[in-house]
């Protein structure tokens, strides 16, 4: 598969088959992704690839109401325009395909729980960085987060090349303390995002979602 084909084929998958992904395939993807660029080749990412009983334990923990969700990485609390409209389009697109009405609170809660279950994925790659490099003189160092984005996209593309589906997502890291406890990690390991990965369930309506993109002439100027 060439790069452009992988770029075009990749999309976020929100329903997976339970079939496990062979660990050799996961290793191949992660090893390949380690070639992603990073500022000064600092390679600030740390990856936890979790499957099997440990992942089941994590999913169970997420479903047992572990308290208020929180995040290690400061993120968007508000979406001004034009970002709000783009976000709304993805959310309503997914809910429509699932047959969930906007006003049906219970159905929306149930759909939200799918995220806690990692949409049924048999594996999840957690992307982390160490606190010591994320805060410098009490200020946020944005570069390692950027680098984590680079390795994340590389993982997603290699997953596509290997016939796997994936989704970069915040929902899998909404209880970072629980993750650190289950994975025996120190408090210094900050959870950036999770990448549920596995074989897509193409029968699931939600996987028909195709998000749109703004056109080239709106997003890029050529000088
Ligand atoms: C940093 C980041 C966090 C995301 N978090 C979530 C999430 O928590 N739940 C979700 O359903 N999708 C999440 N997504 C997926 C985006 O909604 C998706 O990438 C976007 O709508 C574009 O669609 P596509 O990936 O299918 O091209 C996230 C994507 C990124 C890059």
């Amino acid at each position: 598969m060439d790069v452009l084909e992988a770029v075009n084929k990749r999309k976020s998958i929100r329903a997976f088959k339970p079939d496990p992904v062979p660990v050799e395939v996961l290793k191949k993807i992660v090893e390949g992704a380690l070639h992603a660029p990073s500022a000064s080749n600092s390679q600030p990412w740390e990856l936890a690839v979790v499957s099997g009983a440990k992942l089941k334990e994590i999913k169970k923990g997420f479903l047992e109401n572990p308290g208020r969700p929180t995040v290690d990485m400061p993120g968007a609390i508000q979406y001004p325009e034009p970002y709000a409209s783009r976000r709304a389009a993805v959310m309503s697109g997914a809910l429509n395909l699932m047959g969930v009405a906007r006003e049906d609170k219970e159905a929306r809660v149930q759909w939200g729980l799918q995220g806690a279950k990692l949409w049924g994925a048999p594996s999840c790659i957690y992307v982390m960085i160490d606190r010591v490099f994320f805060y410098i003189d009490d200020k946020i160092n944005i570069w390692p987060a950027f680098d984590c984005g680079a390795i994340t996209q590389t993982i997603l593309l290699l997953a596509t090349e290997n016939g796997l589906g994936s989704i970069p997502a915040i929902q899998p890291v909404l209880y970072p303390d629980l993750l650190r406890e289950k994975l025996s990690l120190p408090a210094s390991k900050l959870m950036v995002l999770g990448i549920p990965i596995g074989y897509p369930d193409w029968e699931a309506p939600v996987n028909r979602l195709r998000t749109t993109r703004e056109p080239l002439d709106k997003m890029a100027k050529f000088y």
Side-chain angles (χ1 to χ4, degrees), residues 10-12 14 90 119 167-172 193 209-211 213:
R10 183 217 63 80
K11 64 176 192 166
S12 292
R14 293 184 181 84
V90 182
W119 299 281
I167 174 169
I170 295 299
Q171 278 171 278
L193 85 171
L209 183 67
R210 240 315 167 190
T211 51
R213 294 296 187 271

Side-chain angles (χ1 to χ4, degrees), residues 97-136:
L97 284 168
M98 296 300 293
V100 174
R102 259 200 161 286
E103 55 286 356
D104 188 344
K105 267 199 171 156
E106 180 49 32
R108 287 182 67 141
V109 169
Q110 287 307 318
W111 170 237
L113 287 178
Q114 289 304 315
K117 295 182 199 166
L118 308 176
W119 299 281
S123 295
C124 186
I125 302 173
Y126 295 94
V127 182
M128 300 169 285
I129 51 180
D130 200 284
R131 182 179 288 274
V132 76
F133 197 42
F134 189 58
Y135 293 102
I136 306 260

Side-chain angles (χ1 to χ4, degrees), residues 134-147:
F134 189 58
Y135 293 102
I136 306 260
D137 294 336
D138 286 340
K139 284 206 183 105
I140 287 173
N141 173 16
I142 188 75
W143 296 348
F146 181 94
D147 301 336

Side-chain angles (χ1 to χ4, degrees), residues 7-14 79 86-87 89-91 94 111 115 119 149 152-153 156 166-174 192-194 209-213:
V7 168
N8 287 332
K9 207 166 174 191
R10 183 217 63 80
K11 64 176 192 166
S12 292
I13 292 301
R14 293 184 181 84
Y79 284 73
R86 294 177 191 155
R87 178 177 190 241
V90 182
M91 289 175 74
W111 170 237
W119 299 281
T152 296
Q153 170 72 339
L156 305 181
S166 59
I167 174 169
I170 295 299
Q171 278 171 278
V173 295
L174 285 182
V192 181
L193 85 171
L209 183 67
R210 240 315 167 190
T211 51
T212 58
R213 294 296 187 271

Side-chain angles (χ1 to χ4, degrees), residues 6 17 23-24 28 32-34 42 44 51 53 68 74 97 120 128 130 140 152 169 172 174 193 208 213 221:
K17 290 182 182 167
V23 72
E24 305 77 58
K28 190 166 78 166
L34 294 178
S42 52
S51 312
R68 267 176 80 84
L97 284 168
M128 300 169 285
D130 200 284
I140 287 173
T152 296
L174 285 182
L193 85 171
R208 292 206 297 267
R213 294 296 187 271
K221 274 187 189 154

